[in-house]
Amino acid sequence: LHMFLVSVVLMPFAFEGHRRREQAERVKQRGQELVKAATNARDRVRRKLAIQEKDYAATKNRDTLRIYGDLITSNLYRMERGANKLVCENFYEEDCPSVTIQLDPLLTPQQNAAKYYKRYNKAKTAEKYLSEQMEVAHRDLEYLESVLQEIDQAETEQDFLDIRSELLDSGFLRKQGKSKKEMRRPALKPREFRTTTGYRVLVGRNNRQNDKLTLKDADHRDLWFHTQKIHGSHVILCTEGNMPDDETIVEAAKLAAY
């Protein structure tokens, strides 16, 4: 009888331990999946940006194309169709050095000049387009770096679910076919701390929560903290209209730095 009672008492504890292990394993798996997805997305953006930067650098030499068009045009009178190059003086440079311009022998001199002008205009247009695309890529790269930091700091399964939802909405994570829809749990509240002097300090868990915390939840009298030029959580020191002392401000700043 005694052994039976011990077994009955221990069964709930064993079940609870098993449940916790399952939950911990599930949280770990979600974290690994998100790290892989965010890392792959970041690496894709890096490769794309490298190609854009290379193409952008090439557009910087476009003035040479325009000059070649001008030099061909100014030397039409002495050019013959079928020539594969033009050797002439470059009057755009001091002392007018000799320059060799490659030609397409299947085109007329006028068509060769037009070809260089076309390449010049194309490079000019590409510069503006690539500049805009590089700006987007840099923004995406910064965002994905911040997501990777959020994943590293995530503590619960809901933290990972919120980050996953954010990646889905931003287009960096694809929905998996017709898989069973996950039960949506209420979003977690920001992390909350108390300073030595009793002030509340709120710390965002992810990008969405950072924005909500700063733009909607915080009072205009509160103090906002964020690391300079480094990814990190938005930290709000709730002042309730009071002026916190230096020690309180330093404690809030330490949380932002951490």
Side-chain angles (χ1 to χ4, degrees), residues 94-157:
E94 190 176 355
D95 298 330
C96 297
S98 177
V99 62
T100 299
I101 303 173
Q102 298 301 317
L103 304 174
D104 185 341
L106 299 179
L107 301 179
T108 65
Q110 292 89 342
Q111 288 172 332
N112 270 290
K115 185 177 180 179
Y116 275 106
Y117 287 135
K118 184 177 181 179
R119 288 174 59 189
Y120 165 77
N121 288 323
K122 185 177 180 180
K124 188 176 180 180
T125 303
E127 182 189 31
K128 182 177 183 298
Y129 171 77
L130 288 169
S131 178
E132 294 170 351
Q133 293 302 304
M134 286 163 56
E135 186 177 343
V136 172
H138 279 294
R139 191 163 59 242
D140 288 346
L141 195 59
E142 184 177 353
Y143 167 74
L144 290 167
E145 291 287 1
S146 73
V147 168
L148 283 168
Q149 183 189 35
E150 290 168 9
I151 296 171
D152 184 57
Q153 294 178 342
E155 299 170 341
T156 68
E157 185 176 6

Side-chain angles (χ1 to χ4, degrees), residues 41-81:
R42 181 200 61 189
D43 292 345
R44 284 197 302 271
V45 173
R46 281 179 174 174
R47 290 192 295 270
K48 182 179 178 181
L49 181 59
I51 294 172
Q52 290 171 342
E53 289 175 339
K54 182 179 178 181
D55 292 342
Y56 182 80
T59 66
K60 292 300 182 180
N61 297 322
R62 65 178 183 274
D63 282 342
T64 300
L65 300 173
R66 177 182 56 79
I67 290 172
Y68 283 0
D70 289 348
L71 293 177
I72 293 173
T73 301
S74 64
N75 285 277
L76 288 176
Y77 68 94
R78 65 185 188 88
M79 293 175 63
E80 296 182 0
R81 183 166 184 165

Side-chain angles (χ1 to χ4, degrees), residues 20-30 32:
R20 289 181 177 178
R21 284 194 299 273
E22 278 192 336
Q23 184 179 16
E25 185 62 31
R26 190 164 58 246
V27 170
K28 181 181 178 182
Q29 184 178 355
R30 288 192 185 279
Q32 291 172 342

Side-chain angles (χ1 to χ4, degrees), residues 191-219:
R191 295 183 178 91
E192 183 171 335
F193 302 87
R194 287 279 177 180
T195 66
T196 305
T197 50
Y199 282 88
R200 288 172 68 226
V201 182
L202 304 177
V203 180
R205 295 174 180 269
N206 51 58
N207 284 302
R208 283 180 174 174
Q209 200 172 84
N210 283 338
D211 291 341
K212 183 175 183 295
L213 189 61
T214 303
L215 303 175
K216 294 183 179 181
D217 296 344
D219 186 274

